Coordinates of all heavy atoms in Angstrom, one line a residue:
M1 N 8.0 4.6 -0.8 CA 7.0 4.9 0.1 C 6.5 3.6 0.7 O 6.3 2.6 -0.1 CB 5.8 5.6 -0.7 CG 4.6 5.7 0.1 SD 3.3 6.6 -0.8 CE 4.1 8.1 -1.2
I2 N 6.3 3.6 2.0 CA 5.8 2.4 2.6 C 4.4 2.6 3.1 O 4.0 3.6 3.7 CB 6.7 2.1 3.9 CG1 8.1 1.8 3.4 CG2 6.1 0.9 4.6 CD1 9.1 1.6 4.5
L3 N 3.5 1.6 2.7 CA 2.1 1.6 3.2 C 2.0 0.4 4.1 O 2.5 -0.7 3.8 CB 1.2 1.4 2.0 CG 1.0 2.6 1.0 CD1 0.0 2.2 -0.1 CD2 0.6 3.8 1.7
D4 N 1.3 0.6 5.2 CA 1.1 -0.5 6.1 C -0.3 -1.1 6.0 O -1.3 -0.4 6.2 CB 1.3 0.0 7.6 CG 1.2 -1.0 8.6 OD1 0.8 -2.2 8.4 OD2 1.7 -0.7 9.7
G5 N -0.4 -2.4 5.7 CA -1.7 -3.1 5.5 C -2.5 -3.0 6.7 O -3.8 -3.0 6.6
E6 N -1.9 -3.0 7.9 CA -2.7 -2.9 9.1 C -3.4 -1.6 9.2 O -4.6 -1.5 9.6 CB -1.8 -3.1 10.3 CG -1.3 -4.5 10.5 CD -2.3 -5.6 10.8 OE1 -3.4 -5.2 11.4 OE2 -2.1 -6.8 10.5
L7 N -2.8 -0.5 8.7 CA -3.4 0.8 8.8 C -4.5 0.9 7.7 O -5.5 1.6 7.8 CB -2.4 1.9 8.7 CG -1.4 2.0 9.9 CD1 -0.4 3.1 9.6 CD2 -2.2 2.4 11.1
I8 N -4.2 0.3 6.5 CA -5.3 0.2 5.5 C -6.5 -0.5 6.0 O -7.6 0.0 5.8 CB -4.7 -0.5 4.2 CG1 -3.6 0.4 3.6 CG2 -5.9 -0.7 3.2 CD1 -2.9 -0.3 2.4
K9 N -6.3 -1.6 6.7 CA -7.4 -2.3 7.3 C -8.2 -1.5 8.3 O -9.4 -1.5 8.3 CB -6.9 -3.6 7.9 CG -8.0 -4.5 8.5 CD -7.3 -5.8 9.1 CE -8.4 -6.6 9.7 NZ -7.8 -7.9 10.2
K10 N -7.4 -0.8 9.1 CA -8.0 0.0 10.2 C -8.7 1.3 9.7 O -9.8 1.6 10.1 CB -6.9 0.4 11.2 CG -7.4 1.2 12.4 CD -6.3 1.4 13.4 CE -6.8 2.3 14.6 NZ -5.7 2.7 15.5
N11 N -8.0 2.0 8.8 CA -8.5 3.4 8.4 C -8.9 3.5 7.0 O -9.3 4.6 6.5 CB -7.4 4.4 8.7 CG -7.0 4.4 10.2 OD1 -7.9 4.4 11.1 ND2 -5.8 4.5 10.5
G12 N -8.7 2.4 6.2 CA -9.2 2.3 4.8 C -8.8 3.5 3.9 O -7.6 3.8 3.9
H13 N -9.8 4.0 3.2 CA -9.5 5.0 2.2 C -9.0 6.3 2.8 O -8.2 7.0 2.1 CB -10.7 5.3 1.4 CG -11.1 4.1 0.4 ND1 -10.4 3.9 -0.8 CD2 -11.9 3.1 0.6 CE1 -10.9 2.9 -1.4 NE2 -11.8 2.3 -0.6
D14 N -9.3 6.6 4.0 CA -8.7 7.8 4.6 C -7.2 7.7 4.7 O -6.5 8.7 4.4 CB -9.4 8.1 6.0 CG -10.8 8.5 5.9 OD1 -11.2 9.1 4.9 OD2 -11.6 8.1 6.9
Y15 N -6.7 6.6 5.2 CA -5.3 6.4 5.3 C -4.6 6.5 3.9 O -3.6 7.1 3.7 CB -5.0 5.0 5.9 CG -3.6 4.6 5.9 CD1 -2.6 5.2 6.7 CD2 -3.2 3.6 5.0 CE1 -1.3 4.8 6.6 CE2 -1.8 3.2 4.9 CZ -0.9 3.8 5.7 OH 0.4 3.4 5.7
L16 N -5.2 5.8 2.9 CA -4.7 5.8 1.6 C -4.6 7.2 1.0 O -3.6 7.6 0.4 CB -5.5 4.9 0.6 CG -5.3 3.4 0.9 CD1 -6.3 2.6 0.1 CD2 -3.9 2.9 0.7
A17 N -5.7 8.0 1.1 CA -5.8 9.3 0.6 C -4.7 10.2 1.2 O -4.1 11.0 0.5 CB -7.2 9.9 0.8
E18 N -4.6 10.1 2.5 CA -3.6 11.0 3.2 C -2.2 10.6 2.9 O -1.3 11.4 2.5 CB -3.8 10.9 4.7 CG -2.9 11.8 5.5 CD -3.1 11.8 7.0 OE1 -4.2 11.5 7.4 OE2 -2.1 12.0 7.7
T19 N -1.9 9.3 2.9 CA -0.5 8.8 2.7 C -0.1 9.0 1.3 O 1.1 9.4 1.0 CB -0.4 7.3 3.1 OG1 -0.9 7.2 4.5 CG2 1.0 6.8 3.0
L20 N -1.0 8.8 0.3 CA -0.6 8.9 -1.1 C -0.9 10.3 -1.7 O -0.7 10.5 -2.8 CB -1.4 7.8 -1.9 CG -1.0 6.4 -1.5 CD1 -2.0 5.4 -2.2 CD2 0.4 6.1 -2.0
N21 N -1.3 11.2 -0.8 CA -1.6 12.6 -1.2 C -2.6 12.7 -2.3 O -2.3 13.4 -3.3 CB -0.2 13.2 -1.5 CG -0.4 14.7 -1.4 OD1 -1.2 15.3 -0.7 ND2 0.5 15.4 -2.2
F22 N -3.7 12.0 -2.2 CA -4.7 12.0 -3.2 C -5.4 13.4 -3.2 O -5.5 14.0 -2.1 CB -5.7 10.9 -3.1 CG -5.2 9.5 -3.5 CD1 -5.9 8.4 -3.1 CD2 -4.1 9.4 -4.3 CE1 -5.4 7.1 -3.4 CE2 -3.6 8.1 -4.6 CZ -4.3 7.0 -4.2
P23 N -6.0 13.8 -4.3 CA -6.8 15.1 -4.3 C -8.0 15.1 -3.4 O -8.5 14.0 -3.0 CB -7.1 15.3 -5.7 CG -7.1 13.9 -6.4 CD -6.1 13.1 -5.6
D24 N -8.5 16.2 -3.0 CA -9.6 16.3 -2.1 C -10.9 15.7 -2.7 O -11.7 15.2 -1.9 CB -9.9 17.8 -1.8 CG -8.9 18.5 -0.9 OD1 -8.1 17.7 -0.3 OD2 -8.8 19.7 -1.0
Y25 N -11.0 15.6 -4.0 CA -12.2 15.0 -4.6 C -12.1 13.5 -4.7 O -13.0 12.8 -5.3 CB -12.4 15.6 -6.0 CG -11.2 15.4 -7.0 CD1 -11.1 14.2 -7.7 CD2 -10.3 16.4 -7.2 CE1 -10.0 14.0 -8.6 CE2 -9.3 16.3 -8.1 CZ -9.1 15.1 -8.8 OH -8.1 14.9 -9.6
Y26 N -11.1 12.9 -4.1 CA -10.9 11.4 -4.1 C -12.2 10.8 -3.6 O -12.7 11.1 -2.5 CB -9.7 11.0 -3.3 CG -9.6 9.5 -3.0 CD1 -9.4 8.6 -4.1 CD2 -9.6 9.0 -1.8 CE1 -9.3 7.3 -3.9 CE2 -9.4 7.6 -1.5 CZ -9.3 6.8 -2.6 OH -9.2 5.4 -2.4
G27 N -12.8 9.8 -4.3 CA -14.1 9.3 -4.0 C -14.2 8.2 -2.9 O -15.2 7.7 -2.6
K28 N -13.0 7.8 -2.4 CA -13.0 6.8 -1.4 C -13.7 5.5 -1.7 O -14.5 4.9 -0.9 CB -13.5 7.3 0.0 CG -12.6 8.5 0.5 CD -13.1 9.0 1.8 CE -12.2 10.2 2.2 NZ -12.6 10.7 3.5
N29 N -13.5 5.0 -2.9 CA -14.0 3.7 -3.4 C -12.9 3.0 -4.3 O -11.9 3.7 -4.6 CB -15.3 3.8 -4.0 CG -15.3 4.7 -5.3 OD1 -14.5 4.5 -6.2 ND2 -16.1 5.7 -5.2
L30 N -13.1 1.8 -4.7 CA -12.1 1.1 -5.5 C -11.9 1.7 -6.8 O -10.8 1.8 -7.3 CB -12.5 -0.4 -5.6 CG -12.4 -1.2 -4.3 CD1 -12.9 -2.6 -4.5 CD2 -11.0 -1.2 -3.7
D31 N -13.0 2.2 -7.5 CA -12.8 2.9 -8.8 C -11.9 4.1 -8.7 O -11.1 4.4 -9.5 CB -14.2 3.2 -9.4 CG -14.9 2.0 -9.9 OD1 -14.3 1.0 -10.2 OD2 -16.2 2.0 -9.9
A32 N -12.2 4.9 -7.6 CA -11.4 6.1 -7.4 C -10.0 5.8 -7.1 O -9.1 6.5 -7.5 CB -12.1 7.0 -6.3
L33 N -9.8 4.8 -6.3 CA -8.4 4.3 -5.9 C -7.7 4.0 -7.2 O -6.5 4.4 -7.4 CB -8.5 3.1 -5.0 CG -7.2 2.5 -4.6 CD1 -6.2 3.5 -3.9 CD2 -7.4 1.3 -3.7
Y34 N -8.3 3.2 -8.0 CA -7.6 2.8 -9.3 C -7.3 4.0 -10.1 O -6.2 4.1 -10.6 CB -8.6 1.8 -10.1 CG -8.0 1.5 -11.4 CD1 -7.1 0.5 -11.6 CD2 -8.4 2.2 -12.6 CE1 -6.6 0.1 -12.9 CE2 -7.9 1.9 -13.8 CZ -7.0 0.8 -14.0 OH -6.5 0.5 -15.2
D35 N -8.2 4.9 -10.3 CA -8.0 6.1 -11.1 C -6.8 6.9 -10.5 O -5.9 7.4 -11.3 CB -9.2 7.0 -11.1 CG -10.4 6.4 -11.9 OD1 -10.1 5.5 -12.7 OD2 -11.5 6.8 -11.8
C36 N -6.8 7.1 -9.2 CA -5.7 7.9 -8.6 C -4.4 7.2 -8.7 O -3.3 7.8 -9.0 CB -6.0 8.2 -7.2 SG -7.2 9.5 -7.0
L37 N -4.4 5.9 -8.5 CA -3.1 5.1 -8.6 C -2.6 5.1 -10.1 O -1.3 5.1 -10.3 CB -3.3 3.7 -8.2 CG -3.5 3.4 -6.7 CD1 -3.9 2.0 -6.4 CD2 -2.3 3.8 -5.9
C38 N -3.4 5.2 -11.0 CA -3.0 5.3 -12.4 C -2.4 6.6 -12.8 O -1.8 6.8 -13.9 CB -4.2 4.9 -13.4 SG -4.5 3.2 -13.4
E39 N -2.6 7.6 -11.9 CA -2.1 9.0 -12.2 C -0.8 9.4 -11.4 O -0.3 10.4 -11.7 CB -3.2 10.0 -11.9 CG -4.4 9.8 -12.8 CD -5.5 10.8 -12.5 OE1 -5.3 11.6 -11.6 OE2 -6.5 10.7 -13.2
I40 N -0.4 8.5 -10.5 CA 0.8 8.9 -9.7 C 2.0 8.2 -10.1 O 2.0 7.2 -10.8 CB 0.5 8.6 -8.2 CG1 0.4 7.1 -7.9 CG2 -0.7 9.3 -7.7 CD1 0.4 6.7 -6.4
E41 N 3.1 8.8 -9.7 CA 4.5 8.2 -9.9 C 5.0 7.9 -8.5 O 5.2 8.7 -7.7 CB 5.4 9.2 -10.6 CG 6.7 8.6 -10.9 CD 7.6 9.5 -11.7 OE1 7.1 10.4 -12.4 OE2 8.8 9.4 -11.6
A42 N 5.2 6.5 -8.2 CA 5.6 6.1 -6.9 C 6.1 4.7 -6.9 O 5.7 3.9 -7.7 CB 4.4 6.2 -5.9
D43 N 7.0 4.5 -5.9 CA 7.5 3.1 -5.6 C 6.9 2.8 -4.3 O 7.3 3.4 -3.3 CB 9.0 3.1 -5.5 CG 9.7 3.3 -6.9 OD1 9.1 3.0 -7.9 OD2 10.9 3.7 -6.9
I44 N 5.9 1.9 -4.3 CA 5.2 1.6 -3.1 C 5.6 0.2 -2.6 O 5.6 -0.8 -3.3 CB 3.7 1.6 -3.4 CG1 3.2 3.0 -3.7 CG2 2.9 1.0 -2.2 CD1 1.8 3.1 -4.1
E45 N 5.9 0.1 -1.3 CA 6.1 -1.1 -0.6 C 5.0 -1.3 0.4 O 4.8 -0.5 1.3 CB 7.5 -1.1 0.1 CG 8.6 -1.1 -0.8 CD 10.0 -1.1 -0.1 OE1 10.0 -1.2 1.2 OE2 11.0 -1.0 -0.8
L46 N 4.2 -2.3 0.1 CA 3.0 -2.6 0.9 C 3.4 -3.7 1.9 O 3.6 -4.9 1.6 CB 1.8 -3.0 0.1 CG 0.5 -3.4 0.8 CD1 0.1 -2.3 1.7 CD2 -0.5 -3.8 -0.2
V47 N 3.6 -3.3 3.2 CA 3.9 -4.2 4.3 C 2.7 -4.7 5.0 O 1.6 -4.0 4.9 CB 4.9 -3.7 5.3 CG1 6.3 -3.3 4.6 CG2 4.4 -2.4 6.0
N48 N 2.7 -5.8 5.6 CA 1.5 -6.4 6.2 C 0.4 -6.6 5.2 O -0.8 -6.4 5.5 CB 1.0 -5.5 7.4 CG 2.0 -5.5 8.5 OD1 2.5 -6.6 8.9 ND2 2.2 -4.4 9.1
A49 N 0.8 -6.9 4.0 CA -0.2 -7.1 2.9 C -1.2 -8.1 3.2 O -2.3 -8.1 2.7 CB 0.5 -7.4 1.6
S50 N -0.9 -9.1 4.0 CA -1.8 -10.1 4.3 C -3.1 -9.6 5.1 O -4.1 -10.3 5.1 CB -1.2 -11.2 5.2 OG -0.6 -10.7 6.3
A51 N -3.0 -8.4 5.6 CA -4.1 -7.8 6.4 C -5.1 -7.1 5.4 O -6.2 -6.7 5.8 CB -3.6 -6.8 7.4
V52 N -4.7 -6.9 4.2 CA -5.5 -6.1 3.2 C -6.5 -6.9 2.5 O -6.2 -8.0 2.0 CB -4.6 -5.3 2.3 CG1 -5.4 -4.5 1.3 CG2 -3.6 -4.5 3.0
D53 N -7.7 -6.4 2.3 CA -8.7 -7.1 1.5 C -8.2 -7.4 0.1 O -7.5 -6.5 -0.5 CB -10.0 -6.3 1.4 CG -10.8 -6.3 2.7 OD1 -10.5 -7.1 3.6 OD2 -11.6 -5.3 2.9
K54 N -8.6 -8.5 -0.5 CA -8.2 -8.9 -1.8 C -8.6 -7.9 -2.9 O -7.9 -7.6 -3.8 CB -8.8 -10.3 -2.2 CG -8.3 -10.8 -3.5 CD -9.0 -12.2 -3.8 CE -8.5 -12.8 -5.1 NZ -8.5 -11.9 -6.2
D55 N -9.8 -7.3 -2.7 CA -10.2 -6.2 -3.7 C -9.2 -5.1 -3.8 O -9.0 -4.6 -4.9 CB -11.6 -5.7 -3.3 CG -12.7 -6.7 -3.5 OD1 -12.4 -7.7 -4.2 OD2 -13.8 -6.6 -3.0
I56 N -8.7 -4.7 -2.6 CA -7.8 -3.5 -2.6 C -6.4 -4.0 -3.2 O -5.8 -3.3 -4.0 CB -7.6 -3.0 -1.2 CG1 -8.9 -2.3 -0.8 CG2 -6.4 -2.0 -1.1 CD1 -8.9 -1.8 0.6
I57 N -6.0 -5.2 -2.9 CA -4.7 -5.7 -3.4 C -4.9 -5.8 -5.0 O -4.0 -5.4 -5.7 CB -4.4 -7.1 -2.9 CG1 -4.1 -7.1 -1.4 CG2 -3.3 -7.8 -3.7 CD1 -2.8 -6.4 -1.0
D58 N -6.0 -6.3 -5.4 CA -6.2 -6.4 -6.9 C -6.2 -5.1 -7.6 O -5.7 -4.9 -8.7 CB -7.5 -7.2 -7.2 CG -7.4 -8.7 -6.9 OD1 -6.3 -9.2 -6.7 OD2 -8.5 -9.3 -6.8
T59 N -6.8 -4.1 -6.9 CA -6.8 -2.7 -7.4 C -5.4 -2.2 -7.6 O -5.0 -1.6 -8.6 CB -7.7 -1.8 -6.6 OG1 -9.0 -2.3 -6.5 CG2 -7.7 -0.4 -7.1
F60 N -4.5 -2.4 -6.6 CA -3.1 -1.9 -6.6 C -2.4 -2.7 -7.8 O -1.7 -2.0 -8.5 CB -2.4 -2.2 -5.3 CG -2.5 -1.1 -4.3 CD1 -3.5 -1.0 -3.4 CD2 -1.5 -0.1 -4.3 CE1 -3.6 0.0 -2.5 CE2 -1.6 1.0 -3.4 CZ -2.6 1.0 -2.5
K61 N -2.6 -4.0 -7.9 CA -2.0 -4.7 -9.0 C -2.4 -4.3 -10.3 O -1.6 -4.1 -11.2 CB -2.2 -6.2 -8.8 CG -1.5 -6.9 -7.6 CD -1.9 -8.3 -7.5 CE -1.2 -9.1 -6.4 NZ -1.6 -10.5 -6.4
D62 N -3.7 -4.1 -10.5 CA -4.2 -3.6 -11.8 C -3.7 -2.3 -12.2 O -3.3 -2.1 -13.3 CB -5.8 -3.6 -11.8 CG -6.4 -5.0 -11.7 OD1 -5.7 -6.0 -11.9 OD2 -7.6 -5.0 -11.4
A63 N -3.6 -1.4 -11.2 CA -3.1 0.0 -11.5 C -1.6 -0.1 -11.8 O -1.2 0.6 -12.7 CB -3.4 0.9 -10.3
A64 N -0.9 -0.9 -11.1 CA 0.6 -1.0 -11.4 C 0.8 -1.6 -12.7 O 1.8 -1.2 -13.4 CB 1.2 -1.9 -10.3
S65 N 0.0 -2.5 -13.2 CA 0.2 -3.0 -14.6 C -0.2 -2.0 -15.6 O 0.3 -2.1 -16.8 CB -0.6 -4.3 -14.7 OG -2.0 -4.1 -14.7
E66 N -1.1 -1.1 -15.3 CA -1.5 0.0 -16.3 C -0.6 1.2 -16.3 O -0.3 1.8 -17.3 CB -2.9 0.4 -15.9 CG -3.5 1.4 -16.8 CD -3.8 0.9 -18.2 OE1 -4.0 -0.3 -18.4 OE2 -3.8 1.8 -19.1
N67 N 0.0 1.5 -15.1 CA 0.8 2.7 -14.9 C 2.3 2.3 -14.8 O 2.7 1.8 -13.8 CB 0.3 3.4 -13.6 CG 1.1 4.7 -13.3 OD1 2.1 5.0 -14.0 ND2 0.7 5.4 -12.3
D68 N 3.0 2.7 -15.8 CA 4.5 2.3 -15.9 C 5.3 3.1 -14.8 O 6.4 2.7 -14.5 CB 5.1 2.7 -17.2 CG 4.6 1.8 -18.3 OD1 4.2 0.6 -18.0 OD2 4.6 2.2 -19.5
F69 N 4.7 4.1 -14.2 CA 5.4 4.9 -13.2 C 5.0 4.5 -11.8 O 5.4 5.1 -10.8 CB 5.1 6.4 -13.4 CG 5.5 6.9 -14.7 CD1 4.6 7.1 -15.7 CD2 6.9 7.0 -15.0 CE1 5.0 7.6 -17.0 CE2 7.3 7.5 -16.3 CZ 6.3 7.7 -17.3
L70 N 4.2 3.5 -11.6 CA 3.8 2.9 -10.3 C 4.5 1.6 -10.1 O 4.2 0.6 -10.9 CB 2.3 2.8 -10.2 CG 1.7 2.2 -8.9 CD1 2.1 3.1 -7.7 CD2 0.2 2.0 -9.0
K71 N 5.4 1.5 -9.2 CA 6.0 0.2 -8.9 C 5.5 -0.3 -7.5 O 5.4 0.5 -6.6 CB 7.6 0.4 -8.8 CG 8.2 1.1 -10.0 CD 8.0 0.3 -11.2 CE 8.6 1.0 -12.4 NZ 8.0 0.8 -13.7
L72 N 5.2 -1.5 -7.5 CA 4.5 -2.1 -6.3 C 5.3 -3.4 -5.9 O 5.5 -4.3 -6.7 CB 3.1 -2.5 -6.6 CG 2.3 -3.1 -5.5 CD1 2.1 -2.2 -4.3 CD2 0.9 -3.6 -6.1
K73 N 5.7 -3.4 -4.6 CA 6.2 -4.6 -3.9 C 5.3 -4.9 -2.7 O 5.0 -3.9 -2.0 CB 7.7 -4.3 -3.5 CG 8.6 -4.2 -4.6 CD 10.0 -3.9 -4.0 CE 11.0 -3.6 -5.1 NZ 12.3 -3.3 -4.6
M74 N 5.0 -6.1 -2.5 CA 4.2 -6.5 -1.4 C 4.9 -7.5 -0.5 O 5.6 -8.4 -1.0 CB 2.9 -7.1 -1.9 CG 2.0 -6.0 -2.5 SD 0.3 -6.7 -2.9 CE 0.7 -7.7 -4.3
F75 N 4.8 -7.3 0.8 CA 5.3 -8.2 1.8 C 4.2 -8.6 2.7 O 3.5 -7.7 3.3 CB 6.4 -7.4 2.6 CG 7.5 -6.9 1.7 CD1 7.5 -5.7 1.1 CD2 8.6 -7.7 1.4 CE1 8.5 -5.2 0.3 CE2 9.7 -7.3 0.6 CZ 9.6 -6.0 0.1
P76 N 4.0 -9.9 2.9 CA 2.9 -10.3 3.7 C 2.9 -9.9 5.2 O 1.9 -9.7 5.8 CB 2.9 -11.9 3.6 CG 4.1 -12.2 2.9 CD 4.8 -11.0 2.3
F77 N 4.2 -9.8 5.7 CA 4.3 -9.4 7.1 C 5.4 -8.4 7.2 O 6.3 -8.3 6.4 CB 4.7 -10.6 8.0 CG 3.7 -11.7 7.8 CD1 4.0 -12.8 7.0 CD2 2.5 -11.7 8.5 CE1 3.1 -13.8 6.9 CE2 1.6 -12.7 8.4 CZ 1.9 -13.8 7.6
A78 N 5.5 -7.6 8.3 CA 6.6 -6.7 8.6 C 6.6 -6.5 10.1 O 5.6 -6.5 10.8 CB 6.4 -5.4 7.9
K79 N 7.8 -6.2 10.6 CA 8.0 -5.9 12.0 C 8.7 -4.5 12.0 O 9.8 -4.4 11.4 CB 8.9 -7.0 12.6 CG 9.2 -6.6 14.1 CD 10.1 -7.7 14.7 CE 10.4 -7.4 16.1 NZ 11.3 -8.4 16.7
F80 N 8.2 -3.6 12.6 CA 8.8 -2.2 12.7 C 9.7 -2.2 13.9 O 9.3 -2.5 15.0 CB 7.7 -1.2 12.9 CG 6.9 -0.9 11.6 CD1 5.8 -1.7 11.3 CD2 7.4 0.0 10.7 CE1 5.1 -1.5 10.2 CE2 6.7 0.2 9.5 CZ 5.5 -0.6 9.2
I81 N 10.9 -1.8 13.6 CA 12.0 -1.7 14.7 C 11.9 -0.4 15.4 O 11.9 -0.3 16.6 CB 13.4 -1.9 14.0 CG1 13.5 -3.2 13.4 CG2 14.4 -1.7 15.1 CD1 14.8 -3.4 12.6
N82 N 11.7 0.7 14.6 CA 11.7 2.0 15.2 C 10.5 2.8 14.6 O 10.5 3.1 13.5 CB 13.0 2.7 14.8 CG 13.1 4.1 15.4 OD1 12.1 4.7 15.8 ND2 14.3 4.6 15.6
K83 N 9.5 3.0 15.5 CA 8.3 3.6 15.0 C 8.5 5.1 14.6 O 7.7 5.7 13.9 CB 7.2 3.5 16.0 CG 6.7 2.1 16.2 CD 5.6 2.0 17.2 CE 5.2 0.6 17.4 NZ 4.1 0.4 18.3
N84 N 9.6 5.7 15.0 CA 9.9 7.1 14.7 C 10.5 7.3 13.3 O 10.5 8.3 12.7 CB 10.8 7.8 15.7 CG 10.1 7.9 17.1 OD1 8.9 8.1 17.1 ND2 10.8 7.7 18.1
K85 N 11.0 6.2 12.8 CA 11.6 6.2 11.4 C 10.9 5.1 10.6 O 10.2 4.2 11.1 CB 13.1 5.9 11.5 CG 13.8 7.0 12.2 CD 15.3 6.7 12.2 CE 16.1 7.7 13.0 NZ 17.5 7.4 13.1
L86 N 11.1 5.1 9.3 CA 10.5 4.1 8.5 C 11.5 2.9 8.3 O 11.6 2.3 7.3 CB 10.1 4.7 7.1 CG 9.0 5.6 7.1 CD1 8.7 6.2 5.7 CD2 7.7 5.0 7.7
A87 N 12.3 2.7 9.4 CA 13.2 1.6 9.4 C 12.4 0.3 9.6 O 11.6 0.2 10.6 CB 14.2 1.7 10.5
T88 N 12.5 -0.6 8.7 CA 11.7 -1.9 8.9 C 12.5 -3.1 8.6 O 13.5 -3.0 7.9 CB 10.5 -1.9 7.9 OG1 11.0 -1.8 6.6 CG2 9.5 -0.8 8.2
V89 N 12.1 -4.2 9.1 CA 12.7 -5.4 8.8 C 11.5 -6.3 8.3 O 10.5 -6.4 9.0 CB 13.4 -6.1 10.0 CG1 13.7 -7.6 9.7 CG2 14.6 -5.4 10.4
F90 N 11.7 -6.8 7.1 CA 10.6 -7.6 6.5 C 10.8 -9.1 6.9 O 11.9 -9.6 6.7 CB 10.6 -7.5 5.0 CG 10.4 -6.0 4.6 CD1 11.4 -5.3 4.1 CD2 9.1 -5.5 4.8 CE1 11.2 -4.0 3.7 CE2 8.9 -4.1 4.5 CZ 9.9 -3.4 3.9
I91 N 9.8 -9.6 7.5 CA 9.8 -11.1 7.8 C 8.8 -11.7 6.8 O 7.6 -11.7 6.9 CB 9.3 -11.3 9.2 CG1 10.2 -10.5 10.2 CG2 9.3 -12.8 9.5 CD1 9.7 -10.5 11.6
L92 N 9.4 -12.4 5.8 CA 8.6 -13.1 4.8 C 8.2 -14.4 5.4 O 8.7 -14.9 6.4 CB 9.4 -13.2 3.5 CG 9.9 -11.9 2.9 CD1 10.8 -12.2 1.7 CD2 8.8 -11.0 2.6
K93 N 7.2 -15.0 4.8 CA 6.7 -16.3 5.2 C 7.8 -17.3 5.5 O 7.7 -18.1 6.5 CB 5.7 -16.9 4.2 CG 4.3 -16.2 4.3 CD 3.4 -17.0 3.3 CE 2.0 -16.4 3.4 NZ 1.1 -17.0 2.5
Y94 N 8.8 -17.4 4.7 CA 9.8 -18.4 4.8 C 11.1 -17.8 5.3 O 12.1 -18.5 5.3 CB 9.9 -19.1 3.5 CG 8.6 -19.7 3.0 CD1 8.0 -19.0 1.9 CD2 8.0 -20.8 3.6 CE1 6.8 -19.5 1.5 CE2 6.8 -21.2 3.1 CZ 6.2 -20.6 2.1 OH 5.0 -21.1 1.6
G95 N 11.1 -16.6 5.8 CA 12.3 -16.0 6.3 C 12.6 -16.3 7.7 O 11.7 -17.0 8.4
R96 N 13.6 -15.8 8.3 CA 13.9 -15.9 9.7 C 13.1 -15.0 10.5 O 12.7 -13.9 10.1 CB 15.4 -15.6 10.0 CG 16.3 -16.6 9.4 CD 17.7 -16.2 9.8 NE 18.6 -16.8 8.8 CZ 19.9 -16.6 8.8 NH1 20.4 -15.8 9.7 NH2 20.7 -17.2 8.0
K97 N 12.8 -15.3 11.7 CA 12.0 -14.5 12.6 C 12.9 -13.8 13.6 O 13.9 -14.3 14.0 CB 10.9 -15.2 13.3 CG 9.8 -15.6 12.3 CD 8.7 -16.2 13.0 CE 7.6 -16.6 12.0 NZ 6.4 -17.1 12.6

């Protein structure tokens, strides 16, 4: 599953709740985010991670260390080639552009 840091920055908890299919009672705060992340099974690739607030990044990292079924990879930047598909090319800080 790919999460876009730019969309997290723009739409916050609404984007996370919809994309991660959180329950309707999701509280839309960091504690609720942590609780829900600790209950899911997912491989998450967070692209454009540099756009996300540190508190949210820390919450994802903490949940991933607690939940053996949550795998997290973060990429500071990403360039989408085809917006209709989840085809992406990751441009890391020290990679080619």
